[in-house]
Amino acid sequence: MNIEVLTIFPDMFDSFLAYGIVSRAIKSGRIRVSPVNIRDYAAGKHRQTDDRPYGGGAGMVMMPEPLAGSINAARKKDGRAKVILLTPQGRPFDQDTAGKLAKESGLVFVCGRYEGVDERIRSDYIDDEISIGDYVLTGGEIAAMVVIDAVIRLIPGVLGSDESATADSFSNGLLEHAHYTRPQIFRAGAVPDVLLSGNHAKIDEWRLESALVRTFLKRPDLLEKKALSSREKAILKKWCDNIERLVSGQDSGHQGGDALSRADTLSGEEP
Ligand code: 6GU
């Protein structure tokens, strides 16, 4: 995949492109990322890229000519490339959008600065607008890095087999299960026995339960959106039943009992 990033601060991308999976993907030739200085397409002695807004008011607006010039140059290299403006007014970025963008042959990211880009660029040159969340950044560069990072790891071959994206949080509509590595005992915490058992059916079941419970606790909105499988429903129902048993045990005056210890098949990791 060919990625061009149009920005007035191309050097911001140096360290982003120099490390880890991003750097490896570039070296392997699976992606190419080219930061392009919009200023190279600006005219005049000062190569100005921003100007005051018509109608007055605070802030500056990115001038249309340098943006049009740099977008046209990127389009000339790859006519099929999708041109994406990073702006807080864009569509909220999510894993689903990352997956769709990973299938494109080329992407051109336009990084807005100041108060934004001239409206005629937005209407005539931009295929899609993306926001990375409901807050305002000083420019689109960090947002472009966020989007590029999320997209390239979904391109086939970019992740090694031991870094698979299939179990990622969000890829199945759930947060990912809990993870443990050595040592087996750390402070008061032990690794759940099931993970040491070598029983892969049991480990899969534990991981699904962990994913469901932590999604319920941390991001219940994700569960509302998700079509649950019958296995997933059964696991959540088991937790419901166990909690119900615990509560009705309290109502009838019993103390203790083992309702929760039965519910706690996650061995203390989840509550
Ligand atoms: Cl894509 N750009 C800027 N400037 N601010 C943002 C954003 C993008 N997404 C959230 N805030």
Side-chain angles (χ1 to χ4, degrees):
M1 176 190 279
N2 247 314
I3 298 173
E4 298 234 347
V5 189
L6 314 185
T7 167
I8 58 167
F9 297 128
D11 294 350
M12 280 182 77
F13 289 83
D14 289 352
S15 54
F16 169 62
L17 299 175
Y19 293 97
I21 290 166
V22 177
S23 142
R24 197 180 65 197
I26 293 167
K27 286 194 190 113
S28 75
R30 286 190 172 84
I31 60 163
R32 199 165 69 198
V33 184
S34 318
V36 170
N37 196 336
I38 294 167
R39 201 172 296 283
D40 293 345
Y41 295 86
K45 195 170 68 172
H46 300 292
R47 299 201 161 264
Q48 193 180 340
T49 60
D50 60 322
D51 206 341
R52 286 166 301 155
Y54 275 114
M60 299 289 269
V61 177
M62 290 183 85
M63 296 161 60
E65 299 95 328
L67 285 169
S70 54
I71 294 169
N72 283 337
R75 273 242 166 83
K76 219 175 227 167
K77 286 188 222 156
D78 179 1
R80 289 177 307 166
K82 204 164 171 186
V83 181
I84 297 170
L85 176 66
L86 283 318
T87 162
Q89 298 188 7
R91 282 192 303 124
F93 185 61
D94 60 15
Q95 192 67 16
D96 193 50
T97 303
K100 286 182 181 137
L101 294 182
K103 295 190 172 80
E104 298 284 339
S105 67
L107 296 171
V108 178
F109 291 100
V110 180
C111 301
R113 282 260 149 191
Y114 319 114
E115 296 306 303
V117 305
D118 186 283
E119 184 64 14
R120 293 158 294 183
I121 290 295
R122 204 196 54 72
S123 57
D124 298 356
Y125 288 81
I126 301 296
D127 298 319
D128 202 358
E129 297 174 50
I130 287 179
S131 161
I132 62 162
D134 289 343
Y135 41 82
V136 179
L137 305 172
T138 56
E141 284 79 6
I142 292 173
M145 292 181 217
V146 167
V147 173
I148 291 167
D149 192 290
V151 167
I152 65 161
R153 61 191 293 290
L154 299 179
I155 293 170
V158 165
L159 294 186
S161 55
D162 57 344
E163 301 163 331
S164 164
T166 54
D168 282 344
S169 289
F170 305 113
S171 67
N172 61 356
L174 297 174
L175 301 182
E176 214 182 335
H177 58 76
H179 298 274
Y180 293 89
T181 186
R182 293 189 293 177
Q184 205 175 317
I185 310 273
F186 177 70
R187 292 161 64 91
V191 176
D193 287 339
V194 60
L195 299 180
L196 311 172
S197 69
N199 183 335
H200 289 285
K202 280 234 165 73
I203 292 170
D204 281 352
E205 183 77 8
W206 182 91
R207 286 182 168 162
L208 179 58
E209 186 167 343
S210 170
L212 283 162
V213 171
R214 58 176 45 201
T215 306
F216 175 71
L217 293 173
K218 297 181 187 195
R219 292 290 306 276
D221 58 302
L222 294 177
L223 284 182
E224 304 226 10
K225 277 188 271 179
K226 178 176 163 63
L228 294 163
S229 69
S230 51
R231 189 170 163 225
E232 291 164 341
K233 280 189 247 180
I235 290 170
L236 285 171
K237 185 113 191 8
K238 182 182 82 184
W239 276 75
C240 262
D241 291 347
N242 284 327
I243 292 166
E244 235 168 69
R245 244 197 313 280
L246 176 90
V247 171
S248 59
Q250 293 272 327
D251 287 346
S252 58
H254 294 299
Q255 288 292 306
D258 67 348
L260 245 202
S261 63
R262 234 180 296 123
D264 192 11
T265 52
L266 296 172
S267 303
E269 201 294 317
E270 293 323 332

